[in-house]
Amino acid sequence: MKQIAGILTLLLILTACNKFDMGTMKYKAKFCTTVDQQLKTGNSDSTYTIFGDYITSITPYHFSSAVQMFVFQDDYNDQDPRCHMISFIENQQMDVDFSGNQEIEFNPVLHSTDIRNGLFEQKETDFRFISFVPERFVHEFEIPVDYLDAIKNLNSNDMLWGSTYIYDSINNKIKVNSTKHFSYGAIHGNANAKPTGFLLIFGETDSSHIYLYNGGTLPETERFPFWDSPNRVIIRSSNFQTQKIVMPEEGETYTMYATLSFNTDNLIQLYAGNDNIPYTRDDVFVYAPRFWERVHINLEMIYN
């Protein structure tokens, strides 16, 4: 009897170990641009008053990003081993093309204590937080011809400080590779010596807002992923609702599909600068106010 019981126990263990052997989870994300007719420009609600007179707004025809992290979590504390994390992009730079409506299939890194054969043993997981960490953005757009002289004079040009760019004077087009300039003014205004990078944390907030780390310890109710990042601005976004992810069982193939959209319509605004004379080298190129509200993410399960 003991021998039979031992065999049955072994069979149960083997069955449990093989529970997820045949299930397959695919991980995909689409990066795209959108146009929202409700986003207006040229009025007091959607322009700045600190950069001089508003001149115009520009929609880039190419918009892409080098992304360092794109992570899904069910708990704010990513250091807790019980936290379930799926990292589509983790501590690397991956180029994603929003204007090209790029779809990518990922081979993500999973973090938790209950991982078996590339899946969570926990059947269902509620992802409450999504972290998106861009390192830089690439913009290509037509620039007003009035800037021809200023933009060609690299030594005296201040408008695109902190960026590298290539200017096509024949077609009056410019390609700007920016790590901070467009977003810095939108986040900090005219303030200097502030964090230059930013990350977006979606979920678990009723309204979008900026959180600037001040070195203090936050109570648990106010924590969220990467809350202790001292060198970045953390932007909390309400443009995501908690989504349940279900692990597939034997013979099943599921897809965890995320769509990250960035509304680039009139995203870049131009201002006359300190001298309040347009088309001079102190003019300001900046993202539209509260540009982070233009970014939305949707997460869904596709049951194949």
Side-chain angles (χ1 to χ4, degrees), residues 152-207:
K152 288 174 66 177
N153 187 349
L154 301 182
N155 293 326
S156 64
N157 175 54
D158 299 324
M159 297 177 295
L160 299 171
W161 174 84
S163 306
T164 59
Y165 55 88
I166 300 173
Y167 180 58
D168 178 358
S169 59
I170 296 176
N171 297 304
N172 207 45
K173 294 181 178 180
I174 191 168
K175 179 179 181 179
V176 182
N177 190 325
S178 174
T179 58
K180 56 185 176 181
H181 183 73
F182 292 113
S183 59
Y184 188 95
I187 294 171
H188 300 297
N190 286 322
N192 295 317
K194 297 291 185 179
T196 55
F198 73 91
L199 58 91
L200 278 163
I201 305 292
F202 297 90
E204 294 296 300
T205 179
D206 294 330
S207 61

Side-chain angles (χ1 to χ4, degrees), residues 89-103:
I89 304 172
E90 182 176 343
N91 294 323
Q92 58 179 300
Q93 284 197 17
M94 177 179 288
D95 293 330
V96 300
D97 185 357
F98 286 89
S99 53
N101 295 327
Q102 184 178 17
E103 183 181 81

Side-chain angles (χ1 to χ4, degrees), residues 124-160:
E124 298 181 353
T125 302
D126 290 330
F127 280 111
R128 301 162 52 216
F129 299 100
I130 300 178
S131 303
F132 173 69
V133 185
E135 281 297 298
R136 57 178 171 80
F137 288 96
V138 177
H139 324 70
E140 294 183 42
F141 53 91
E142 293 187 15
I143 194 168
V145 69
D146 307 81
Y147 286 110
L148 178 63
D149 291 335
I151 210 72
K152 288 174 66 177
N153 187 349
L154 301 182
N155 293 326
S156 64
N157 175 54
D158 299 324
M159 297 177 295
L160 299 171

Side-chain angles (χ1 to χ4, degrees), residues 216-232:
T217 300
L218 292 177
E220 183 171 338
T221 54
E222 296 180 25
R223 293 184 183 179
F224 41 87
F226 314 127
W227 65 275
D228 56 349
S229 300
N231 298 318
R232 294 181 184 270

